């Protein structure tokens, strides 16, 4: 028998159950090393990392941290479309880009942007060896299209870890245009070499909206036929880049991967668990 749904039941607020993400693996901080004044590399270790493989560049993991003020890590449980702690609160959970896991010794590196305020940024800036955390993942990375004639990569500081991996992986024979928006000159860092890459660091003027300079760079870029685009950064800016590529330029959707990595003025705490 078919049961008619009321408009309320069909409304967009209806919560759709999602597949439970991969289990959390307990880890501890091994060391924290500054990469630039705007970024630190946090190395995590622990036997539960065994079997975690990161095959593609620009993949993701979720990093779980103790709640503010707590020393102990509580593993949350899955409630259909988000993780919740036993007391009903949302855990501190953020998405980051993993380096491939080292096996000897068993270690995982995360490069984390230090920005004005934010639980993970503050944690990374002050983390000490031995502190507990957990990792779930990996989420999908970028599968390189063998038919691509050229690549355009665009991202802000949070995309530098993914962009570095892409530069290490993209075919050496293909040209790569690269635009990176940085909110401070200190964010510049040496990138992996690619023989056909042209790199432009784009400084965001103080007070400008995050993503403005990156959007302008993509708008002004020449896109040769057969170019594939990968872009990641502030969510509203990525929406503008999508509109430009798909609506104004008519790029086939399959030729671009554009991912919102964070929301200006909004903590990831206020969002349900993102898709991996
Ligand atoms: C697939 C994926 C991969 C990612 N990889 C990385 C990575 O490798 N390294 C990395 O550092 N980040 C990465 N991010 C982005 C990261 O998850 C967010 O920046 C996250 O919001 C940081 O958490 P937080 O606790 O520091 O700040 P939140 O508590 O989420 O936010 C607090 C405040 O800070 C602002 N904010 C958040 N991030 C930034 C920022 N980068 N610059 C300026 N203001 C900000 C928010 O708008 C909010 O006002 C990735 C995101 C995704 C989806």
């Amino acid at each position: 028998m078919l049961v008619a749904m009321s408009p309320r039941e069909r409304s967009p607020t209806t919560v759709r159950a999602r597949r439970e993400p991969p289990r959390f693996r307990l880890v501890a901080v091994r060391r924290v090393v500054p990469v630039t004044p705007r970024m630190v590399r946090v190395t995590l270790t622990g036997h539960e990392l065994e079997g975690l493989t990161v095959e593609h560049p620009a993949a993701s993991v979720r990093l779980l941290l103790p709640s503010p003020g707590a020393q102990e890590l509580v593993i949350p449980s899955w409630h259909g479309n988000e993780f919740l702690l036993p007391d009903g609160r949302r855990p501190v959970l953020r998405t980051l880009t993993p380096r491939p896991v080292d096996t000897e010794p068993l270690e995982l590196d995360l490069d984390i942007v230090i920005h004005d305020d934010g639980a993970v940024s503050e944690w990374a800036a002050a983390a000490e060896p031995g502190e507990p955390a957990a990792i779930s993942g990996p989420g999908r990375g970028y599968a390189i299209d063998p038919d691509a004639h050229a690549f355009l990569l665009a991202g802000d500081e949070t995309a530098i870890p993914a962009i570095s991996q892409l530069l290490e992986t993209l075919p050496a024979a293909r040209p790569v245009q690269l635009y990176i928006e940085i909110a401070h000159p200190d964010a510049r860092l040496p990138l992996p070499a690619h023989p056909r890459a042209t790199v432009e660091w784009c400084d965001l003027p103080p007070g400008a909206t995050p993503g403005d300079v990156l959007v302008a760079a993509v708008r002004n870029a020449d896109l040769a036929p057969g170019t594939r685009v990968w872009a990641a950064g502030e969510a509203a800016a990525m929406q503008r880049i999508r509109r430009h590529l798909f609506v104004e330029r008519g790029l086939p959707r399959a030729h671009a991967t554009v991912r919102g990595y964070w929301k200006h003025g909004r903590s990831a705490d206020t969002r349900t668990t993102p898709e991996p």
Side-chain angles (χ1 to χ4, degrees), residues 127-148:
E128 298 280 351
E131 285 184 22
I135 289 288
S136 160
R140 77 199 143 105
Y142 184 62
I144 293 165
D145 185 342
D147 295 333

Side-chain angles (χ1 to χ4, degrees), residues 37-266:
R38 301 268 305 172
M39 182 180 276
V40 295
R41 173 162 292 180
V42 179
T43 300
L44 301 169
T45 188
H47 70 271
E48 292 194 12
L49 285 177
E50 204 161 327
L52 178 67
T53 48
V54 182
E55 284 171 14
H56 289 116
S60 60
V61 289
R62 295 188 181 90
L63 172 70
L64 172 73
L65 297 179
S67 296
Q71 306 293 322
E72 283 178 12
L73 186 73
V74 179
I75 301 293
S77 48
W78 184 245
H79 286 256
N81 79 335
E82 65 178 328
F83 283 109
L84 292 176
L85 294 167
D87 63 8
R89 284 180 305 150
R90 284 196 177 142
V92 178
L93 194 57
R94 298 290 186 275
T95 308
L96 297 163
T97 307
R99 295 284 311 162
V101 179
D102 283 333
T103 47
E104 291 286 339
L106 202 51
E107 289 181 349
L108 172 68
D109 288 339
L110 300 172
D111 291 343
I112 301 180
V113 174
I114 306 301
H115 59 91
D116 279 348
D117 79 302
V120 162
S121 172
E122 283 168 17
W123 172 83
E128 298 280 351
E131 285 184 22
I135 289 288
S136 160
R140 77 199 143 105
Y142 184 62
I144 293 165
D145 185 342
D147 295 333
H149 297 170
F151 294 89
L152 183 147
L153 309 179
D156 64 16
E157 292 173 38
T158 60
I160 293 176
I163 286 172
S164 299
Q165 296 174 16
L166 290 166
L167 283 174
E168 288 167 356
T169 322
L170 292 178
R174 299 281 181 264
V176 180
Q177 292 178 74
L178 169 54
Y179 301 97
I180 304 181
E181 179 185 285
I182 49 176
H184 194 283
D186 281 349
R188 274 189 181 71
L189 49 79
L191 296 170
H194 182 287
R196 299 199 61 195
T198 54
V199 182
E200 198 174 312
W201 293 91
C202 310
D203 292 294
L204 186 69
T209 302
D212 270 1
V213 178
L214 195 63
V215 174
V218 174
R219 294 188 81 91
N220 292 330
D222 277 336
L223 284 191
T227 300
R228 300 295 187 271
V229 178
W230 183 94
E234 198 284 321
M238 292 305 112
Q239 198 50 38
R240 287 157 68 195
I241 286 179
R242 270 188 211 106
R243 201 176 316 120
H244 169 69
L245 294 174
F246 301 138
V247 179
E248 295 170 21
R249 292 210 196 218
L251 198 75
R253 287 191 180 254
H255 289 193
T257 297
V258 184
R259 300 189 71 179
Y261 270 14
W262 59 283
K263 283 197 169 172
H264 183 42
R266 198 164 152 199

